[in-house]
Amino acid sequence: MEETMSNLNERFQTFVNGLGDRYEPYVREHLSKVYMVLGSTAAATAVGALLQMRGFLDLGVLAAVATLVLVLGLHFYKDDGKNYCTRLSMLYAFGFCSGQTLGPLLGYICSINPAIILSALTGTFATFVTLSLAALLAEQGKYLYLGGMLVSVINTMALLSLFNMMFKSYFVQVTQLYVGVFVMAAFIVYDTQNIVVKCRNGNRDVVQHALDLFFDVLSMFRRLLIILTQKEERKQNERRKRN
């Protein structure tokens, strides 16, 4: 047992040293800040969702409008080196309102099987950590070519969603969910490497970089929730037919 722990510790130290050799101190510091802000934004989202589910605070449509206003505000209210706290507050507010909009879906899932939420959360977290490490350990800038391709896929999916509002094809809906998970996974890799490149070019906007990753994580989590819920609904329907 001690030998196994020792081997794991050596591998971990080798991994940490490898990252230290690959990235400059200021890049490592920037990434640390981005991940800390990302984690605290996710916490704000959890608080918003819990308050909505428990009935303590339900902003309803106002939450959806607020998310749009806040994300546009963060886009146009650029970092000038003096407005960090204001933009950070806007990001946390965006995370909180995102949790409010996610609350009804989570409440519905709890009525079916609460374990779905834990499964989706675990899958999202494991995927994010794995892909982030893969992007950081890969050749620098190796996956930046994905940017244009991913934007094209997102635009195509948006057009399909508009058409599907009229035709209501279940196949298109399911395909978009599964393709969306892979697209968000690819965005995690792309955005991670893009953040490093921007940081080296002088862009140290922690809030914007955390927002980019938050979009990826939240979108993946939402899609996994829906996929797992649909599977559970099919299982429950099959059980009812048997009985």
Side-chain angles (χ1 to χ4, degrees):
M1 184 66 178
E2 291 182 2
E3 184 178 352
T4 302
M5 292 300 295
S6 178
N7 290 334
L8 289 174
N9 185 55
E10 288 180 7
R11 292 179 182 179
F12 178 74
Q13 290 299 327
T14 301
F15 167 74
V16 172
N17 293 334
L19 285 180
D21 295 337
R22 184 181 293 263
Y23 296 103
E24 301 88 338
Y26 70 89
V27 175
R28 297 200 301 270
E29 181 182 358
H30 179 73
L31 288 172
S32 297
K33 290 180 180 178
V34 169
Y35 289 129
M36 287 178 62
V37 171
L38 174 63
S40 52
T41 304
T45 304
V47 171
L50 284 172
L51 290 178
Q52 195 282 333
M53 292 169 64
R54 298 295 182 184
F56 294 117
L57 178 65
D58 187 356
L59 298 178
V61 178
L62 182 61
V65 175
T67 56
L68 178 60
V69 171
L70 287 166
V71 77
L72 288 175
L74 286 169
H75 176 73
F76 290 106
Y77 188 40
K78 298 293 185 181
D79 175 37
D80 60 7
K82 300 177 182 178
N83 57 0
Y84 174 76
C85 291
T86 302
R87 298 182 77 250
L88 183 62
S89 299
M90 292 171 66
L91 177 60
Y92 288 159
F94 173 76
F96 180 86
C97 291
S98 297
Q100 285 275 304
T101 60
L102 195 62
L105 174 61
L106 295 176
Y108 172 71
I109 293 172
C110 283
S111 67
I112 298 176
N113 186 355
I116 293 174
I117 297 175
L118 181 60
S119 298
L121 189 62
T122 303
T124 303
F125 179 76
T127 302
F128 175 77
V129 172
T130 302
L131 294 178
S132 295
L133 290 176
L136 291 173
L137 293 173
E139 180 182 347
Q140 298 176 17
K142 179 180 180 180
Y143 297 107
L144 292 182
Y145 74 92
L146 292 172
M149 186 189 309
L150 292 173
V151 171
S152 298
V153 174
I154 289 292
N155 290 336
T156 302
M157 290 173 62
L159 288 174
L160 285 175
S161 295
L162 291 175
F163 283 117
N164 203 42
M165 290 175 66
M166 295 182 289
F167 298 107
K168 300 185 183 300
S169 169
Y170 177 75
F171 174 76
V172 172
Q173 179 188 4
V174 172
T175 301
Q176 283 191 312
L177 285 173
Y178 282 91
V179 171
V181 170
F182 287 103
V183 169
M184 291 305 113
F187 260 118
I188 290 173
V189 176
Y190 168 78
D191 283 333
T192 300
Q193 289 206 335
N194 195 33
I195 287 170
V196 173
V197 171
K198 287 181 178 179
C199 179
R200 284 175 171 157
N201 290 336
N203 184 341
R204 312 286 171 79
D205 189 352
V206 173
V207 173
Q208 182 61 53
H209 295 168
L211 177 62
D212 292 341
L213 292 176
F214 179 73
F215 268 130
D216 303 338
V217 172
L218 185 63
S219 298
M220 176 178 286
F221 178 60
R222 191 188 298 271
R223 285 174 170 80
L224 286 177
L225 282 174
I226 297 173
I227 290 171
L228 294 174
T229 301
Q230 290 178 344
K231 286 185 176 181
E232 183 64 24
E233 287 176 334
R234 286 195 296 270
K235 288 181 182 178
Q236 292 185 2
N237 289 333
E238 290 175 0
R239 293 194 196 105
R240 293 192 189 100
K241 289 179 181 178
R242 290 171 188 170
N243 297 331

